[in-house]
Amino acid sequence: MSDYILYEKPESGIARIVLNRPDTANAQDTQLLYELNEAFNRASREDDVRVIILAANGKHFSSGHDMRERNHHDNQERYTPVTPCCQHRRAGAEGRMSREEELYTGLSERWRNIPKITIAAVQGKCVSGGLMLCWPCDLIVASDDAQFMEVTVALGIAGVEWFAHPWEMGTRKAKEMLLTGEPLSAEDARQLGMVNRVVPRAELEDATLALARKIALQPTMATKMVKLAVNGTVDAQGRHAAMQNAFALHQLAHSHWMEVAGLPINPDGVHASVKKSITAGDEPYRAPAKPAG
Ligand code: ZN
């Protein structure tokens, strides 16, 4: 179906979408994100799919945005946009904001609102942009080696574009995660309510499948209503408006760094923060010559 995504039907009623770029620790470039969106579209369309699992091949769930990507705009224009924000080639903040509205907040919000139940299976590192893949899912099963990290503050930015942190773990822990850049363990994430279940690494696939199987037996009308009711609760509390505010601050930070450093992020923070957070396989991360936003 695609280069970076596998689409599987492990058993009746369940689709499993697998990030399959393990040589980069499932780094997200434009192609991977749109191929992932196409896989979610397929699972949404197929009537026999009642529950969707999002999993990842390799040691790590995702290292976040692929900062080695070049030609963002050319790559993006190969795909059908999911939002009306297509002004990526406009100069300055207007173009950057448009790209990030489409590719990051647009896609993550869209996946969050799929009217079927989604379950993320997370192992290894899940860094910054990786959070924008697992957080939109309804449930998260993590292996005991999973670590959730946010390294954007070292890059001079206050969090990833889809800013769900306070909703996922509460305000104090959200601030700690952002301000320190230190990893949150799977067990700590479970205790905070961010993760549903923690299982040994070898049992992640089976445990996620067992949970999906149980939910797939429920009437889809009811599971959809549960999702709408719970998501509607946090939306009534202002989730979406708060995330729009954080996104505007994110854009302000990009513009600040463009003004003072000529790059959309703090150039001094790139190597240290990324090196600390992730390695692709066992290879040291190669610092990009010109980081992307
Ligand atoms: Zn950004």
Side-chain angles (χ1 to χ4, degrees), residues 65 96 100 104 157 161 250-251 254 293:
H65 296 164
R96 185 180 310 105
E100 298 200 346
Y104 304 138
I157 310 288
E161 291 82 1
H250 181 102
Q251 297 306 315
H254 278 322

Side-chain angles (χ1 to χ4, degrees), residues 38-267:
E38 286 171 15
F40 274 126
N41 282 347
R42 177 176 169 187
S44 299
R45 274 198 309 269
E46 291 181 345
D47 272 346
D48 62 322
V49 173
R50 302 161 76 90
V51 178
I52 305 165
I53 293 171
L54 174 62
N57 272 343
K59 190 174 175 184
H60 302 295
F61 181 77
S62 178
S63 54
H65 296 164
D66 188 344
M67 297 205 289
R68 290 161 290 189
E69 184 180 12
R70 302 292 177 270
N71 304 319
H72 300 99
H73 300 317
D74 293 341
N75 295 342
Q76 198 155 353
E77 287 169 4
R78 288 162 45 205
Y79 298 94
T80 305
V82 301
T83 73
C85 301
C86 307
Q87 299 77 45
H88 315 320
R89 292 188 186 275
R90 299 264 170 89
E94 184 181 3
R96 185 180 310 105
M97 183 173 181
S98 175
R99 171 179 159 75
E100 298 200 346
E101 284 172 314
E102 160 67 14
L103 199 62
Y104 304 138
T105 56
L107 287 175
S108 288
E109 188 71 13
R110 190 165 191 275
W111 302 332
R112 186 248 189 192
N113 293 327
I114 291 171
K116 296 182 179 181
I117 301 305
T118 53
I119 307 175
V122 179
Q123 80 278 11
K125 301 272 177 69
C126 176
V127 183
S128 294
L131 301 169
M132 296 197 291
L133 304 188
C134 68
W135 281 349
C137 292
D138 298 305
L139 302 167
I140 300 177
V141 180
S143 62
D144 50 12
D145 69 337
Q147 293 187 327
F148 301 86
M149 295 180 72
E150 247 289 24
V151 298
T152 49
V153 168
L155 304 176
I157 310 288
V160 290
E161 291 82 1
W162 201 70
F163 192 85
H165 314 59
W167 305 95
E168 291 288 345
M169 68 193 78
T171 55
R172 295 261 180 256
K173 276 292 179 182
K175 288 174 184 171
E176 181 181 337
M177 179 192 223
L178 284 157
L179 294 171
T180 66
E182 291 175 356
L184 188 64
S185 71
E187 180 53 29
D188 285 348
R190 189 192 66 77
Q191 289 183 23
L192 290 165
M194 198 191 101
V195 158
N196 295 89
R197 298 178 183 184
V198 178
V199 299
R201 174 70 185 88
E203 297 172 19
L204 180 63
E205 185 175 324
D206 286 348
T208 307
L209 204 51
L211 181 59
R213 189 181 303 130
K214 192 173 286 188
I215 295 167
L217 293 174
Q218 304 280 24
T220 54
M221 180 63 186
T223 59
K224 176 179 174 177
M225 294 303 110
V226 166
K227 179 163 184 163
L228 289 173
V230 176
N231 285 0
T233 301
V234 289
D235 286 349
Q237 292 169 340
R239 179 200 66 95
H240 190 256
M243 287 175 76
Q244 292 291 98
N245 176 60
F247 181 73
L249 297 174
H250 181 102
Q251 297 306 315
L252 175 64
H254 278 322
S255 293
H256 168 80
W257 290 109
M258 282 303 294
E259 202 171 316
V260 301
L263 293 172
I265 52 180
N266 172 17

